[in-house]
Amino acid sequence: MGKRKVGALEKLEADLPALQNKIRRDPMSYKSDFERQYEQYRTIYTIFLQNGSTDDNNLMSLREYIDFVAHVAECYPELTASFPEDLISLLDKHHAILEPELREKIVGALVLLRNKDVIDSIRLLNALFPILIKSPSQSLRELVYNKMLMDLRSANTKTKNHRLNKNMQNTLYNLITSDKASPKGVFAVKFTRELWKRQIWTDAKAVEIMKEAALAENEKVIGGGVRFFLGGDKEREELDDESSDDENVDLNAMRHQMGINKKTKKRGKDLKKATATVKRKEKKKNQHNPLNFSAFHLLHDPQGFAETLFSRHLQNPKTKLKDEQKLDVLRLITRLVGLHQLTLINLYSWFQKYLTAKQKDVTTYLACLAQASHNLVPPELLQPLVRKIADEFVSEASRAEVCSAGLNGIREVCTRQPLAMEDTLLQDLVQYRKSKDKGVMMAAKGLLSLYRDVGAELLHKRDRGKKAAMDARAGAQSLPRFGEVNAEEGIAGIELLEEWKEEERRKKREETGVDSEDEEAEAKRIEEEEAEGWKNWDVEDDESDDSGGWIDVPSDGEDLHVSDSDDDKPKKKAKLATESPAPPADVGTPASTTSTEKPRVSKLATTRILTPADLTKLKELQQKAAIEDAMPNKHKSHHSAASTRQPVNGARHADEEITAEAIEGLAMLSHKDTKEEKIAKAKGDREEKHVSSTALRKEKKRAAGKSSTNKEKARQKNFFMTLGKAKKKGKRSLTDVKKAMQGHVERKKRGGKRGNAGN
Amino acid sequence: MAKSAKSKRAKKADFTKPKLKLGRPKPKPENYTDVSFSAQRIAVLHQNLSSSAPSQTALFTHHLALLSHKSDAQRAASLAHLTTALSSLGGELPLPGAQVLTKVAPLLLDANGSVRNNTLKFLALLSDAVSAGGISTLLLYIRAALTHLSARVRFSGVDALSWLLRTDKRATRTAAVSSSGGFAGLLEGILGLLGWLVSKPGNSKGWSSSTASGGKAEDEGKGRATQLTALALLLDAGLVDGERESRAQRRKWEMGVRWPLVDWRAHKIGGAGTYDYLNLYGDVGGASDEACPEVADRMRVYARHGGAVRAGLETAKREGGGIGRAAVAVEKVLAGVYLDDDRE
């Protein structure tokens, strides 16, 4: 029934919003009016409880009264003490049968009461959560979910409301753990994922909820939990980037505009706002937030988690998961294994079954295997797998894509555990670098270069390459033994810093022209520098932040220039360089003199306290070196000594996942297009040839699975078919006619061709 | 070989290519009748043919159902019909009274004036049918009408209240004042209308408004007099009526044997509403919802507002005219109550 039209006069009399407005302005004066209306509300509420129908013929329905009282409840807290309780009980008991509008109004009123601080968040969430779980109505669930989320977000805007968060997390945790098989856990997953994404929940308890979700028995809940671990952090980062992007303000431009245009209050306000935004952003940028760990690092007992996941979802023959979901679980397990270097013996034998070329999504399996291997996995476990991959994938007979995928897979496994390879197999595989196919060739070369670095002795002598051969002659053992751990010595990149400092000092000396033989003066200067480094480290920090996006990398020409600098410089400088005094003992010798020797331990860190300015510079230098290393045709500058110290696969962060794309690698190079694909490529996205609109319509109709009209069928009927029928019609024999007639009678009796005798 | 021209034509038809036309078919003329079908018989949908007109009861039920029709006019017409039907039946309801009341009572709050008036007219005929069962429903609606935002609805509420308390049956009156929310709710409602309601204690910070600002057009003249009359009726039914009865009974007992039945009334377990205060059926609690089964309870409720009522009466008496007379009537009722008080 539609809403009854209210006449103008009636409207004037029965105007709750007007009263509401008056009450808001002066609550004490309108108290008696409110009392009367509250009484009215209570009566209507009672009536509603008795007959359960909302009468639309009334001027005011319960809905409007709820709205009214909710809006002014904060003015009369004693009078309306029982109001929230009324609403909560009404919703709790009757949410399934209430009419949708009223239901939504009640939820809205509760949220309003929360926003006006009449009830607290915990009470609101505790009231709404059961509705979310129980309600059969999707629209109500959606509404309640959104409202709850909004409330959680707003409660955490200024500071984190730990009490509320803990309460909510406990509720969600209990929801999942109380009934593992029920699909209700999905709500817990949804909440946690959303709040994690928005960095409202960043603690271990949230991760614990998701862990329980991943170990649940309902497929949806499992899927949600697993996908959270695989993608939750990335989602969070993306959202963070987005939110920082959207308020990009060009402050200078705005100031400029202010100078040109007429100054108005609004523009001034805008500028102020923009300044505040920029300041806030700066602050946020500088703010070091060490507590933002990824979900994997917050996980308690990853070993147990991985084991349970494996036994429950992958090994269990009764598992109800679909293949894709299983694959997700596998990705999660292997990431856990790789990241935390877990030992999960059964996992590797489990892989055996899936490593065949015919297996669906085999590249993902290969990526997972690579992820699951780390240098603490016993080589005996990996060796059969590597051999299996080689047997199944890598052969002359197999397709080029398969072959290159196999080789890439093997390389990824061996990058993490070089001991997984046997020498004969490796020597075979390396032969593929002569393959005609580019993808296979590249993959094989990758494997070769990997082993030149980590285990040249497994290769044929002629394959080892110059450097490895020289190392071998020097008797250096390159293949590490199982379980061997190379402890990092000193601080990574410290010699870069040392070098830089030396350089700076020399420049300064040249500028001032002071003879540096005076050691005392030198020492004094160093002291001064240091003091400066401590004093305005904040400023330096800011400066480095400003240039954060850009790290200057010397171009090749410049690099050359530096290396030849000794010749170009004026004589005095050259003299300085040649007779450069023995640097202070505590600084150590310049790196250039010792570049050929094995990296020595810098004494800088042991003799000096690094200032914050030093540390930021160190970071910058490290980044610079990394980028230089990654450049394809870098000159072997004096940084090379440092670069060799980096791990072979250092480019990839340990937290990152190996994807199937990495395994497929350059397989696309070896893919041969079919004729259709070639034609399609040649055509590009040019327009199709012109077709009449009728034809297009017909085509569309046919595509939709609709048949043509009878008319059209008649038109398209073969002429000879019509001829035969026409001929036959005239000369049916009497028996034929009888048969036909009898058939007709029969059909009529039966009630049609199909007959309805049965029903 | 077919011989007749007709069969020849039929034969030829097989070989003629149908002429296909492009475009939309021509729209049919407005008076076009489709005669392409042929039927041996026509099945007409069910037709109800009865030789007699619908019974009074059926009509009554039908119109009762129409009371929740969305059109004002329809509701008013149905009520009028019900009224005439009831008077023709001699005030005897063809349906159970409670059932009729649940349908009619909501119309006390109806937005349309004529509907409300018709409702009151209908209720006037119903006096006998109002039983203890239906009275709680009716009371709720009367209370809702008394506190309604619209002044006209409040008027109707007062009228309905007067009607309820003027009834001849003492049982009805007693039920009205003793049921849950009866006396307290009605008293508060009517005092609120008069503007004599004392604000609830505990929140007296800030300014206190002297009288409720319900003082608008409705309070003048007849409206106020009606309200005072209703108040008098309510106080009479709640405080005096029961007392009168109990006095009569006491006198009877005094004549008979007194010992050992001393104070038997204090030990007596009451009637139907004894355990109402337990709220077993989930009534929303509250001061105005309390049940006052005994005169003493009602006295307690009245005592809360006594001062304001007396003060209000003083001013009302001074106004003279209809209002003054009504105020005096209230005072008379109260005098009876106080007499009883003094006696005890």
Side-chain angles (χ1 to χ4, degrees):
Chain A
M1 204 186 284
K3 217 177 164 191
R4 208 188 62 83
K5 270 187 191 163
V6 182
L9 261 179
E10 289 170 356
K11 221 184 237 171
L12 206 67
E13 292 174 280
D15 199 3
L16 272 182
L19 181 60
Q20 181 185 319
N21 187 26
K22 284 180 197 158
I23 287 177
R24 275 236 208 89
R25 287 175 183 203
D26 187 1
M28 290 329 289
S29 310
Y30 287 95
K31 189 162 172 217
S32 53
D33 285 88
F34 176 74
E35 269 170 14
R36 193 193 285 173
Q37 289 318 309
Y38 190 62
E39 198 58 41
Q40 173 80 2
Y41 150 75
R42 291 178 55 78
T43 320
I44 291 183
Y45 180 72
T46 318
I47 292 173
F48 180 76
L49 283 187
Q50 278 190 358
N51 64 10
S53 72
T54 47
D55 203 348
D56 282 341
N57 295 328
N58 287 338
L59 270 183
M60 294 293 150
S61 60
L62 179 60
R63 202 167 62 230
E64 283 161 77
Y65 270 99
I66 287 177
D67 194 35
F68 166 72
V69 178
H71 271 98
V72 294
E74 58 171 345
C75 304
Y76 310 102
E78 287 109 349
L79 263 179
T80 57
S82 69
F83 178 63
E85 204 43 61
D86 283 353
L87 293 187
I88 290 172
S89 75
L90 186 62
L91 195 60
D92 187 44
K93 284 181 197 149
H94 309 294
H95 63 88
I97 49 166
L98 285 181
E99 61 171 17
E101 282 177 350
L102 179 61
R103 207 160 62 178
E104 278 165 25
K105 179 59 77 186
I106 295 175
V107 174
L110 282 173
V111 174
L112 187 68
L113 290 176
R114 157 73 205 103
N115 290 341
K116 294 190 180 238
D117 263 336
V118 177
I119 56 176
D120 59 352
S121 274
I122 293 182
R123 190 150 169 227
L124 174 71
L125 294 179
N126 285 346
L128 290 185
F129 195 68
I131 311 291
L132 182 67
I133 303 293
K134 281 188 292 188
S135 173
S137 148
Q138 196 185 357
S139 62
L140 180 64
R141 282 196 310 250
E142 201 172 336
L143 176 80
V144 168
Y145 173 74
N146 286 334
K147 294 284 184 199
M148 286 179 78
L149 201 62
M150 282 297 282
D151 189 58
L152 275 170
R153 281 177 64 187
S154 61
N156 281 301
T157 39
K158 278 182 191 150
T159 49
K160 287 213 171 144
N161 188 344
H162 287 293
R163 214 173 117 237
L164 175 69
N165 289 344
K166 199 161 276 177
N167 187 298
M168 193 66 199
Q169 281 167 350
N170 280 336
T171 316
L172 295 181
Y173 187 82
N174 291 340
L175 175 70
I176 287 192
T177 48
S178 62
D179 188 3
K180 292 215 158 200
S182 83
K184 284 167 186 167
V186 172
F187 290 111
V189 172
K190 268 175 100 175
F191 267 118
T192 315
R193 179 153 200 176
E194 190 65 29
L195 292 170
W196 180 268
K197 192 169 96 180
R198 300 191 182 279
Q199 307 206 19
I200 293 167
W201 288 359
T202 49
D203 50 348
K205 185 77 182 176
V207 177
E208 194 73 4
I209 293 173
M210 286 316 227
K211 179 180 159 184
E212 287 302 326
L215 294 177
E217 277 157 30
N218 183 283
E219 296 99 277
K220 273 192 178 170
V221 182
I222 296 170
V226 169
R227 258 180 279 122
F228 167 76
F229 281 108
L230 291 176
D233 291 318
K234 204 166 194 180
E235 231 176 48
R236 181 164 76 174
E237 278 162 27
E238 275 164 14
L239 189 80
D240 205 24
D241 288 348
E242 265 174 38
S243 63
S244 60
D245 279 348
D246 60 4
E247 45 188 32
N248 249 338
V249 196
D250 191 357
L251 209 54
N252 284 335
M254 278 189 93
R255 276 207 195 104
H256 182 63
Q257 285 289 318
M258 268 298 266
I260 295 166
N261 295 338
K262 189 185 165 195
K263 274 176 199 156
T264 62
K265 220 178 214 174
K266 183 168 179 285
R267 287 216 185 96
K269 235 188 277 167
D270 281 350
L271 184 66
K272 218 178 237 173
K273 215 192 222 169
T275 323
T277 324
V278 169
K279 253 191 196 154
R280 199 174 341 115
K281 242 161 81 181
E282 285 285 304
K283 210 169 158 193
K284 206 172 159 194
K285 210 195 257 171
N286 294 338
Q287 199 177 40
H288 185 55
N289 194 357
L291 294 173
N292 246 356
F293 290 117
S294 86
F296 284 109
H297 292 291
L298 287 173
L299 208 51
H300 175 64
D301 185 22
Q303 174 77 40
F305 183 38
E307 274 172 12
T308 330
L309 270 179
F310 183 59
S311 61
R312 194 169 288 176
H313 297 325
L314 293 184
Q315 270 188 324
N316 183 8
K318 279 184 212 153
T319 177
K320 279 177 282 177
L321 296 183
K322 281 185 208 135
D323 282 350
E324 298 96 72
Q325 284 176 318
K326 272 192 188 171
L327 215 52
D328 279 347
V329 174
L330 179 65
R331 276 168 62 200
L332 174 58
I333 294 174
T334 52
R335 270 197 81 179
L336 283 170
V337 170
L339 192 66
H340 293 283
Q341 303 214 320
L342 308 176
T343 311
L344 206 63
I345 305 280
N346 294 341
L347 179 67
Y348 301 98
S349 55
W350 181 85
F351 261 114
Q352 278 280 359
K353 195 167 60 171
Y354 295 96
L355 294 176
T356 57
K358 291 230 171 95
Q359 171 69 35
K360 207 179 145 205
D361 290 329
V362 72
T363 46
T364 312
Y365 279 100
L366 285 173
C368 287
L369 176 59
Q371 222 164 210
S373 46
H374 52 84
N375 54 12
L376 294 180
V377 180
E380 329 44 286
L381 289 177
L382 285 174
Q383 269 164 6
L385 290 173
V386 169
R387 178 152 294 280
K388 170 121 200 226
I389 298 173
D391 290 347
E392 291 275 348
F393 292 79
V394 190
S395 77
E396 292 290 355
S398 61
R399 276 202 348 254
E401 293 98 315
V402 176
C403 194
S404 74
L407 281 170
N408 280 333
I410 291 175
R411 194 196 57 205
E412 290 292 346
V413 172
C414 292
T415 311
R416 285 159 184 76
Q417 175 56 299
L419 294 170
M421 184 59 84
E422 299 155 40
D423 50 355
T424 48
L425 180 62
L426 178 65
Q427 284 153 18
D428 276 354
L429 293 178
V430 162
Q431 299 295 316
Y432 281 92
R433 75 178 188 280
K434 301 265 167 58
S435 167
K436 267 188 283 183
D437 184 84
K438 193 152 192 196
V440 177
M441 185 259 281
M442 298 287 271
K445 275 189 175 169
L447 194 61
L448 177 65
S449 65
L450 168 71
Y451 270 92
R452 276 182 180 169
D453 270 343
V454 297
E457 64 261 37
L458 292 183
L459 291 164
H460 273 310
K461 238 179 200 167
R462 60 173 182 279
D463 293 334
R464 283 181 193 171
K466 187 177 161 199
K467 188 173 157 285
M470 276 164 67
D471 279 352
R473 209 170 298 148
Q477 169 97 18
S478 62
L479 200 62
R481 270 167 301 177
F482 176 61
E484 186 181 325
V485 177
N486 277 332
E488 278 282 332
E489 286 176 352
I491 303 163
I494 190 76
E495 65 281 331
L496 295 177
L497 181 69
E498 197 179 338
E499 236 167 80
W500 176 78
K501 281 203 148 181
E502 183 62 23
E503 185 85 1
E504 287 291 295
R505 210 160 288 146
R506 211 178 60 214
K507 270 186 201 162
K508 212 169 239 177
R509 240 181 280 148
E510 281 162 11
E511 272 172 26
T512 50
V514 174
D515 204 345
S516 55
E517 274 168 31
D518 187 359
E519 283 201 12
E520 266 184 36
E522 180 73 27
K524 200 178 166 192
R525 195 179 302 122
I526 293 172
E527 293 280 307
E528 274 170 18
E529 258 173 43
E530 237 168 60
E532 207 172 308
W534 282 112
K535 197 168 61 194
N536 50 0
W537 66 277
D538 232 3
V539 179
E540 288 229 355
D541 200 27
D542 278 356
E543 274 169 14
S544 70
D545 260 337
D546 284 348
S547 63
W550 300 97
I551 297 158
D552 21 327
V553 180
S555 72
D556 292 354
E558 269 181 350
D559 214 12
L560 271 174
H561 181 76
V562 169
S563 63
D564 292 345
S565 60
D566 283 3
D567 304 333
D568 298 342
K569 275 167 191 165
K571 233 179 178 181
K572 192 184 171 195
K573 284 178 193 168
K575 188 184 159 203
L576 273 174
T578 46
E579 61 171 39
S580 85
D586 54 359
V587 172
T589 52
S592 55
T593 57
T594 54
S595 61
T596 49
E597 288 166 24
K598 67 171 186 178
R600 85 227 129 69
V601 182
S602 165
K603 279 193 235 153
L604 186 66
T606 52
T607 52
R608 288 239 172 271
I609 296 172
L610 296 179
T611 62
D614 285 343
L615 289 177
T616 45
K617 190 71 201 171
L618 178 61
K619 211 169 169 188
E620 204 175 293
L621 287 171
Q622 276 173 349
Q623 280 179 338
K624 200 165 146 186
I627 289 173
E628 266 180 65
D629 264 0
M631 297 242 288
N633 51 354
K634 55 172 179 181
H635 283 266
K636 288 283 173 193
S637 65
H638 46 274
H639 295 319
S640 59
S643 66
T644 48
R645 293 183 76 187
Q646 294 209 333
V648 181
N649 206 33
R652 186 178 287 144
H653 195 264
D655 274 6
E656 272 173 42
E657 197 187 2
I658 306 170
T659 55
E661 283 77 49
I663 299 294
E664 277 157 21
L666 298 169
M668 274 322 284
L669 288 177
S670 52
H671 174 74
K672 251 184 195 158
D673 289 343
T674 57
K675 193 180 175 192
E676 285 82 29
E677 280 168 339
K678 274 182 193 163
I679 292 170
K681 263 186 200 165
K683 269 187 182 163
D685 37 287
R686 246 178 296 151
E687 276 277 309
E688 292 288 309
K689 68 164 186 180
H690 176 73
V691 197
S692 77
S693 60
T694 323
L696 280 175
R697 201 174 341 120
K698 261 187 211 162
E699 180 60 32
K700 202 169 144 195
K701 208 171 176 191
R702 213 185 51 194
K706 286 170 186 159
S707 84
S708 54
T709 57
N710 281 345
K711 223 175 183 181
E712 199 158 328
K713 277 179 197 146
R715 202 189 307 154
Q716 282 168 346
K717 192 165 190 178
N718 190 354
F719 177 69
F720 287 101
M721 284 163 80
T722 57
L723 203 64
K725 191 184 176 190
K727 205 188 252 173
K728 205 175 154 196
K729 212 173 188 178
K731 348 170 170 165
R732 268 198 297 185
S733 70
L734 276 177
T735 43
D736 280 347
V737 172
K738 191 187 162 199
K739 238 186 232 166
M741 297 296 271
Q742 266 177 346
H744 181 68
V745 171
E746 191 100 312
R747 270 200 297 280
K748 213 166 188 191
K749 248 191 230 162
R750 233 181 324 161
K753 216 170 190 181
R754 299 263 163 89
N756 52 10
N759 15 322
Chain B
M1 193 71 187
K3 292 209 175 89
S4 68
K6 194 186 167 196
S7 62
K8 265 183 188 163
R9 222 184 304 131
K11 209 173 168 191
K12 223 176 185 176
D14 282 338
F15 299 101
T16 51
K17 214 169 180 190
K19 183 155 175 71
L20 296 163
K21 283 188 176 169
L22 218 73
R24 253 173 233 198
K26 213 169 90 184
K28 303 226 162 71
E30 258 174 52
N31 57 356
Y32 170 78
T33 315
D34 187 11
V35 288
S36 62
F37 68 93
S38 58
Q40 283 179 327
R41 56 170 175 238
I42 298 173
V44 180
L45 287 176
H46 177 68
Q47 253 181 359
N48 196 3
L49 286 177
S50 68
S51 50
S52 60
S55 67
Q56 284 280 30
T57 322
L59 261 181
F60 196 87
T61 324
H62 174 65
H63 282 282
L64 206 58
L66 282 181
L67 288 185
S68 49
H69 197 270
K70 67 166 180 277
S71 146
D72 302 337
Q74 178 63 62
R75 268 177 278 142
S78 287
L79 269 173
H81 179 270
L82 287 180
T83 315
T84 40
L86 195 59
S87 55
S88 72
L89 283 172
E92 212 167 293
L93 278 175
L95 293 168
Q99 197 182 334
V100 179
L101 266 184
T102 46
K103 285 297 237 180
V104 177
L107 294 180
L108 281 174
L109 301 176
D110 200 282
N112 188 290
S114 75
V115 175
R116 286 197 305 272
N117 284 339
N118 275 318
T119 313
L120 286 175
K121 274 182 206 156
F122 181 65
L123 283 179
L125 289 176
L126 262 186
S127 320
D128 299 337
V130 177
S131 60
I135 213 155
S136 60
T137 324
L138 195 60
L139 270 180
L140 271 177
Y141 283 99
I142 291 179
R143 276 173 58 196
L146 285 181
T147 50
H148 204 276
L149 197 57
S150 161
R152 286 148 211 239
V153 178
R154 270 177 276 170
F155 271 133
S156 312
V158 175
D159 288 343
L161 178 61
S162 311
W163 158 76
L164 183 66
L165 295 174
R166 268 207 193 102
T167 178
D168 298 336
K169 282 206 279 183
R170 166 178 286 161
T172 313
R173 269 177 291 169
T174 319
V177 290
S178 60
S179 70
S180 165
F183 186 72
L186 290 174
L187 186 65
E188 277 184 18
I190 207 146
L191 289 183
L193 281 182
L194 287 164
W196 295 351
L197 196 58
V198 192
S199 275
K200 278 170 192 159
N203 42 14
S204 53
K205 60 183 170 188
W207 294 352
S208 62
S209 54
S210 55
T211 53
S213 48
K216 283 159 206 156
E218 36 140 347
D219 284 345
E220 285 150 21
K222 190 171 157 273
R224 204 153 172 82
T226 326
Q227 287 162 6
L228 281 171
T229 318
L231 178 63
L233 283 170
L234 180 65
L235 291 177
D236 183 55
L239 304 178
V240 184
D241 210 11
E243 196 65 14
R244 213 177 284 141
E245 175 197 16
S246 68
R247 211 184 307 156
Q249 266 190 351
R250 209 176 294 149
R251 207 168 299 136
K252 213 194 279 173
W253 272 101
E254 274 166 8
M255 282 190 273
V257 191
R258 205 183 289 182
W259 191 87
L261 300 171
V262 183
D263 289 342
W264 65 276
R265 279 154 61 82
H267 301 291
K268 186 185 113 184
I269 290 176
T274 315
Y275 296 109
D276 276 356
Y277 66 95
L278 289 177
N279 269 346
L280 285 177
Y281 299 105
D283 264 355
V284 277
S288 56
D289 280 326
E290 63 188 318
C292 311
E294 295 297 325
V295 181
D297 299 326
R298 277 170 247 157
M299 280 301 294
R300 193 163 34 76
V301 171
Y302 171 72
R304 273 190 239 144
H305 307 287
V309 172
R310 254 170 277 140
L313 281 177
E314 279 307 309
T315 28
K317 263 198 302 183
R318 254 175 252 148
E319 285 187 37
I323 298 175
R325 260 171 271 138
V328 169
V330 177
E331 217 160 44
K332 264 185 199 161
V333 173
L334 284 179
V337 176
Y338 291 139
L339 262 183
D340 287 348
D341 262 3
D342 295 340
R343 200 179 46 75
E344 277 180 343

